[in-house]
Amino acid sequence: DQQVKQNSPSLSVQEGRISILNCDYTNSMFDYFLWYKKYPAEGPTFLISISSIKDKNEDGRFTVFLNKSAKHLSLHIVPSQPGDSAVYFCAASAMGGNEKLTFGTGTRLTIIP
Amino acid sequence: EADIYQTPRYLVIGTGKKITLECSQTMGHDKMYWYQQDPGMELHLIHYSYGVNSTEKGDLSSESTVSRIRTEHFPLTLESARPSHTSQYLCASRKGLGGSYGYTFGSGTRLTVV
């Protein structure tokens, strides 16, 4: 039973436009969400996170939106740059659940110059 | 520079061999984790530790074992490697405080058992 789902395995976006990556979750105990970026043959790099008490968190070109009622979060990248091409993983944690992360399967983002 | 290190980066080994994947971090983090990832799949937690002499099994059953004798060191051992163990193994650490700190991951070990 996959508790964190990223239904789009891949996404292509023109350079300079907005990239929107989506993530859905099923476990209502999740209260902390993170996005990671991963290049081939490297470990994931932490990008941005959001607590369930917020509905938006912004860091430079990256913004994460959380819709708790829909159990949905999204990562917006504006403007998209060629260096953003990577696999993006959504992850969730339940604070009372030993803070282990549950990951989605990832979305491969390709930025077209 | 504080970081988390995994060795080796790549390992090809024969069936039945014993292997140890090394993971060390210089950040003084209490919590350390091992994740396993197959291509195109999600990362699955296989082991975690909250401090010295603390180890727990993760969500995905694994034949590997871990130890945490020192804060900075969290090695993973496979007593007898099999082709089904072929995967990428990622080590991570985080501060012992709550939620606002993301994990820091190592570069991973890509293991191939032939």
mmCIF file of all heavy atoms in Angstrom, chain A residues 66-86:
data_model
loop_
_atom_site.group_PDB
_atom_site.id
_atom_site.type_symbol
_atom_site.label_atom_id
_atom_site.label_comp_id
_atom_site.label_asym_id
_atom_site.label_seq_id
_atom_site.Cartn_x
_atom_site.Cartn_y
_atom_site.Cartn_z
ATOM 1 N N LEU A 66 0.480 23.046 0.320
ATOM 2 C CA LEU A 66 -0.129 21.889 0.972
ATOM 3 C C LEU A 66 -1.633 22.098 1.090
ATOM 4 O O LEU A 66 -2.085 23.107 1.629
ATOM 5 C CB LEU A 66 0.481 21.673 2.358
ATOM 6 C CG LEU A 66 -0.137 20.567 3.208
ATOM 7 C CD1 LEU A 66 0.025 19.197 2.552
ATOM 8 C CD2 LEU A 66 0.470 20.560 4.604
ATOM 9 N N ASN A 67 -2.399 21.130 0.601
ATOM 10 C CA ASN A 67 -3.856 21.124 0.742
ATOM 11 C C ASN A 67 -4.220 19.908 1.580
ATOM 12 O O ASN A 67 -4.312 18.791 1.077
ATOM 13 C CB ASN A 67 -4.525 21.059 -0.637
ATOM 14 C CG ASN A 67 -6.039 21.105 -0.562
ATOM 15 O OD1 ASN A 67 -6.640 20.709 0.436
ATOM 16 N ND2 ASN A 67 -6.667 21.570 -1.612
ATOM 17 N N LYS A 68 -4.398 20.142 2.887
ATOM 18 C CA LYS A 68 -4.601 19.017 3.806
ATOM 19 C C LYS A 68 -5.923 18.310 3.553
ATOM 20 O O LYS A 68 -6.006 17.084 3.662
ATOM 21 C CB LYS A 68 -4.556 19.508 5.245
ATOM 22 C CG LYS A 68 -3.148 19.866 5.709
ATOM 23 C CD LYS A 68 -3.097 20.127 7.183
ATOM 24 C CE LYS A 68 -3.840 21.390 7.588
ATOM 25 N NZ LYS A 68 -3.196 22.611 7.040
ATOM 26 N N SER A 69 -6.941 19.048 3.201
ATOM 27 C CA SER A 69 -8.249 18.414 3.000
ATOM 28 C C SER A 69 -8.215 17.468 1.812
ATOM 29 O O SER A 69 -8.862 16.427 1.807
ATOM 30 C CB SER A 69 -9.339 19.469 2.815
ATOM 31 O OG SER A 69 -9.061 20.275 1.680
ATOM 32 N N ALA A 70 -7.414 17.815 0.804
ATOM 33 C CA ALA A 70 -7.292 16.957 -0.379
ATOM 34 C C ALA A 70 -6.129 15.980 -0.253
ATOM 35 O O ALA A 70 -5.922 15.150 -1.142
ATOM 36 C CB ALA A 70 -7.094 17.810 -1.627
ATOM 37 N N LYS A 71 -5.357 16.101 0.818
ATOM 38 C CA LYS A 71 -4.156 15.282 1.008
ATOM 39 C C LYS A 71 -3.255 15.383 -0.226
ATOM 40 O O LYS A 71 -2.850 14.373 -0.826
ATOM 41 C CB LYS A 71 -4.508 13.821 1.313
ATOM 42 C CG LYS A 71 -5.206 13.613 2.656
ATOM 43 C CD LYS A 71 -5.277 12.124 2.994
ATOM 44 C CE LYS A 71 -5.853 11.891 4.378
ATOM 45 N NZ LYS A 71 -7.275 12.266 4.478
ATOM 46 N N HIS A 72 -2.971 16.607 -0.571
ATOM 47 C CA HIS A 72 -2.225 16.867 -1.800
ATOM 48 C C HIS A 72 -1.203 17.977 -1.545
ATOM 49 O O HIS A 72 -1.487 18.965 -0.859
ATOM 50 C CB HIS A 72 -3.195 17.314 -2.909
ATOM 51 C CG HIS A 72 -2.519 17.706 -4.180
ATOM 52 N ND1 HIS A 72 -2.145 16.783 -5.131
ATOM 53 C CD2 HIS A 72 -2.134 18.918 -4.646
ATOM 54 C CE1 HIS A 72 -1.562 17.413 -6.139
ATOM 55 N NE2 HIS A 72 -1.543 18.707 -5.877
ATOM 56 N N LEU A 73 -0.011 17.782 -2.094
ATOM 57 C CA LEU A 73 0.952 18.871 -2.068
ATOM 58 C C LEU A 73 1.596 18.996 -3.441
ATOM 59 O O LEU A 73 1.588 18.048 -4.241
ATOM 60 C CB LEU A 73 2.007 18.721 -0.976
ATOM 61 C CG LEU A 73 2.996 17.580 -0.989
ATOM 62 C CD1 LEU A 73 4.227 17.970 -0.195
ATOM 63 C CD2 LEU A 73 2.384 16.346 -0.345
ATOM 64 N N SER A 74 2.115 20.180 -3.696
ATOM 65 C CA SER A 74 2.748 20.429 -4.980
ATOM 66 C C SER A 74 3.991 21.288 -4.777
ATOM 67 O O SER A 74 4.083 22.064 -3.831
ATOM 68 C CB SER A 74 1.773 21.097 -5.950
ATOM 69 O OG SER A 74 1.348 22.352 -5.438
ATOM 70 N N LEU A 75 4.922 21.105 -5.684
ATOM 71 C CA LEU A 75 6.159 21.889 -5.702
ATOM 72 C C LEU A 75 6.153 22.722 -6.978
ATOM 73 O O LEU A 75 5.998 22.157 -8.074
ATOM 74 C CB LEU A 75 7.381 20.972 -5.673
ATOM 75 C CG LEU A 75 8.742 21.651 -5.848
ATOM 76 C CD1 LEU A 75 9.051 22.509 -4.624
ATOM 77 C CD2 LEU A 75 9.834 20.621 -6.073
ATOM 78 N N HIS A 76 6.304 24.029 -6.821
ATOM 79 C CA HIS A 76 6.375 24.924 -7.958
ATOM 80 C C HIS A 76 7.797 25.455 -8.086
ATOM 81 O O HIS A 76 8.385 25.907 -7.082
ATOM 82 C CB HIS A 76 5.406 26.102 -7.779
ATOM 83 C CG HIS A 76 3.964 25.713 -7.831
ATOM 84 N ND1 HIS A 76 2.981 26.581 -8.265
ATOM 85 C CD2 HIS A 76 3.335 24.564 -7.511
ATOM 86 C CE1 HIS A 76 1.813 25.953 -8.201
ATOM 87 N NE2 HIS A 76 2.000 24.749 -7.744
ATOM 88 N N ILE A 77 8.316 25.402 -9.295
ATOM 89 C CA ILE A 77 9.649 25.935 -9.561
ATOM 90 C C ILE A 77 9.500 27.027 -10.621
ATOM 91 O O ILE A 77 9.050 26.758 -11.744
ATOM 92 C CB ILE A 77 10.607 24.834 -10.084
ATOM 93 C CG1 ILE A 77 10.636 23.640 -9.115
ATOM 94 C CG2 ILE A 77 12.016 25.401 -10.251
ATOM 95 C CD1 ILE A 77 11.417 22.448 -9.644
ATOM 96 N N VAL A 78 9.847 28.256 -10.222
ATOM 97 C CA VAL A 78 9.707 29.387 -11.138
ATOM 98 C C VAL A 78 10.897 30.342 -10.997
ATOM 99 O O VAL A 78 11.152 30.792 -9.875
ATOM 100 C CB VAL A 78 8.411 30.173 -10.857
ATOM 101 C CG1 VAL A 78 8.270 31.354 -11.803
ATOM 102 C CG2 VAL A 78 7.192 29.279 -10.950
ATOM 103 N N PRO A 79 11.582 30.714 -12.084
ATOM 104 C CA PRO A 79 11.474 30.087 -13.405
ATOM 105 C C PRO A 79 12.296 28.801 -13.459
ATOM 106 O O PRO A 79 13.294 28.661 -12.740
ATOM 107 C CB PRO A 79 12.097 31.163 -14.309
ATOM 108 C CG PRO A 79 13.122 31.826 -13.432
ATOM 109 C CD PRO A 79 12.558 31.805 -12.041
ATOM 110 N N SER A 80 11.910 27.891 -14.290
ATOM 111 C CA SER A 80 12.649 26.632 -14.415
ATOM 112 C C SER A 80 13.962 26.860 -15.162
ATOM 113 O O SER A 80 14.021 27.630 -16.127
ATOM 114 C CB SER A 80 11.802 25.602 -15.176
ATOM 115 O OG SER A 80 10.600 25.350 -14.476
ATOM 116 N N GLN A 81 15.003 26.169 -14.685
ATOM 117 C CA GLN A 81 16.332 26.302 -15.275
ATOM 118 C C GLN A 81 16.848 24.919 -15.671
ATOM 119 O O GLN A 81 16.450 23.918 -15.077
ATOM 120 C CB GLN A 81 17.291 26.946 -14.270
ATOM 121 C CG GLN A 81 16.891 28.341 -13.823
ATOM 122 C CD GLN A 81 17.752 28.888 -12.721
ATOM 123 O OE1 GLN A 81 18.610 28.180 -12.173
ATOM 124 N NE2 GLN A 81 17.545 30.154 -12.363
ATOM 125 N N PRO A 82 17.767 24.844 -16.640
ATOM 126 C CA PRO A 82 18.280 23.533 -17.070
ATOM 127 C C PRO A 82 18.851 22.708 -15.915
ATOM 128 O O PRO A 82 18.704 21.483 -15.896
ATOM 129 C CB PRO A 82 19.363 23.906 -18.082
ATOM 130 C CG PRO A 82 18.900 25.210 -18.646
ATOM 131 C CD PRO A 82 18.257 25.940 -17.494
ATOM 132 N N GLY A 83 19.461 23.356 -14.928
ATOM 133 C CA GLY A 83 20.012 22.647 -13.782
ATOM 134 C C GLY A 83 18.963 22.020 -12.890
ATOM 135 O O GLY A 83 19.283 21.222 -12.007
ATOM 136 N N ASP A 84 17.698 22.335 -13.134
ATOM 137 C CA ASP A 84 16.617 21.743 -12.357
ATOM 138 C C ASP A 84 16.270 20.345 -12.856
ATOM 139 O O ASP A 84 15.497 19.617 -12.211
ATOM 140 C CB ASP A 84 15.359 22.607 -12.420
ATOM 141 C CG ASP A 84 15.557 23.968 -11.772
ATOM 142 O OD1 ASP A 84 16.386 24.070 -10.839
ATOM 143 O OD2 ASP A 84 14.895 24.937 -12.217
ATOM 144 N N SER A 85 16.807 19.959 -13.997
ATOM 145 C CA SER A 85 16.524 18.627 -14.537
ATOM 146 C C SER A 85 17.071 17.569 -13.582
ATOM 147 O O SER A 85 18.275 17.498 -13.339
ATOM 148 C CB SER A 85 17.162 18.463 -15.925
ATOM 149 O OG SER A 85 16.565 19.330 -16.859
ATOM 150 N N ALA A 86 16.177 16.752 -13.041
ATOM 151 C CA ALA A 86 16.542 15.751 -12.035
ATOM 152 C C ALA A 86 15.277 14.959 -11.709
ATOM 153 O O ALA A 86 14.209 15.225 -12.257
ATOM 154 C CB ALA A 86 17.080 16.416 -10.770
#
